[in-house]
Amino acid sequence: MEARIETLNEKKLIGKRIEMSFIENKTFQLWNNFMPKRKEIKNTINENLYSLEVFSPAHFDNFDPGRTFQKWAAVEVKNYEDVPLNMETLIIPDGLYAVFVHYGPASEGHKTYHAIFAEWLPNSEYLVDDRPHFAVMGHKYKNDDPKSEEEIWIPIKNRN
């Protein structure tokens, strides 16, 4: 598994969020609610969609798949001058990220995440940092198509 290490500049997002856990996955419900309304967001930077997870600082210590976190469906914007009704803002702060490409259907994304957390991360010089995790679904993203591609961004910091 190859990672591209990038320093991310702050991103401003507008979208919708939901509380969920890995056991009680509400991703489909979130995106079904967001997609019909995304065109109401007028000052987008591009067509990319962002699927984000905001975890509590100790979320992965003594991992519990029933522990809740925030799941976001969002787009990147230039500013927060025109936030549509029933949408919220989120800032992804500057920081270091390991970027991976998931090739294949979105339904098989768990295999890529497993490789990142069970193989790549323990053998790297990095630890997971306390910032949002996200996937960028750009023009190569085709949901459950075998030719689909999306980028997975994992916040990292040096072990030392």
Side-chain angles (χ1 to χ4, degrees), residues 4-158:
R4 181 176 88 235
I5 307 302
E6 289 219 10
T7 300
L8 180 84
N9 292 322
E10 177 184 282
K11 289 186 178 292
K12 291 177 175 61
L13 303 173
I14 293 177
K16 290 186 165 277
R17 70 180 163 123
I18 197 166
E19 283 284 319
M20 62 176 255
S21 69
F22 288 111
I23 290 175
E24 190 181 358
N25 189 332
K26 298 178 183 176
T27 303
F28 183 79
Q29 173 187 340
L30 174 66
W31 282 97
N32 263 6
N33 192 304
F34 174 72
M35 288 304 284
K37 296 175 174 58
R38 79 178 181 143
K39 294 295 183 197
E40 295 174 17
I41 304 169
K42 301 298 180 203
N43 53 351
T44 57
I45 288 180
N46 53 42
E47 292 295 312
N48 291 345
L49 297 172
Y50 286 76
S51 177
L52 296 96
E53 296 85 26
V54 179
F55 300 106
S56 62
H59 188 88
F60 293 102
D61 299 347
N62 300 315
F63 181 68
D64 173 2
R67 190 175 297 138
T68 61
F69 58 91
Q70 288 180 6
K71 179 79 168 192
W72 286 76
V75 294
E76 187 177 4
V77 295
K78 296 176 186 112
N79 55 51
Y80 293 140
E81 289 176 11
D82 186 19
V83 179
L85 195 63
N86 299 318
M87 296 238 187
E88 297 181 75
T89 63
L90 176 71
I91 291 178
I92 302 175
D94 296 344
L96 201 61
Y97 277 82
V99 184
F100 304 86
V101 178
H102 169 67
Y103 298 97
S107 60
E108 294 183 7
H110 63 92
K111 295 176 184 176
T112 301
Y113 280 97
H114 182 269
I116 293 167
F117 286 99
E119 298 165 23
W120 184 85
L121 194 60
N123 294 304
S124 77
E125 59 194 79
Y126 303 103
L127 297 170
V128 174
D129 201 3
D130 181 28
R131 285 176 282 117
H133 297 225
F134 62 94
V136 179
M137 296 165 288
H139 68 279
K140 293 182 179 180
Y141 179 76
K142 296 170 180 48
N143 197 4
D144 261 350
D145 187 307
K147 294 184 178 119
S148 184
E149 292 181 28
E150 66 185 280
E151 286 189 341
I152 297 171
W153 292 63
I154 306 297
I156 56 172
K157 61 185 176 185
N158 288 308

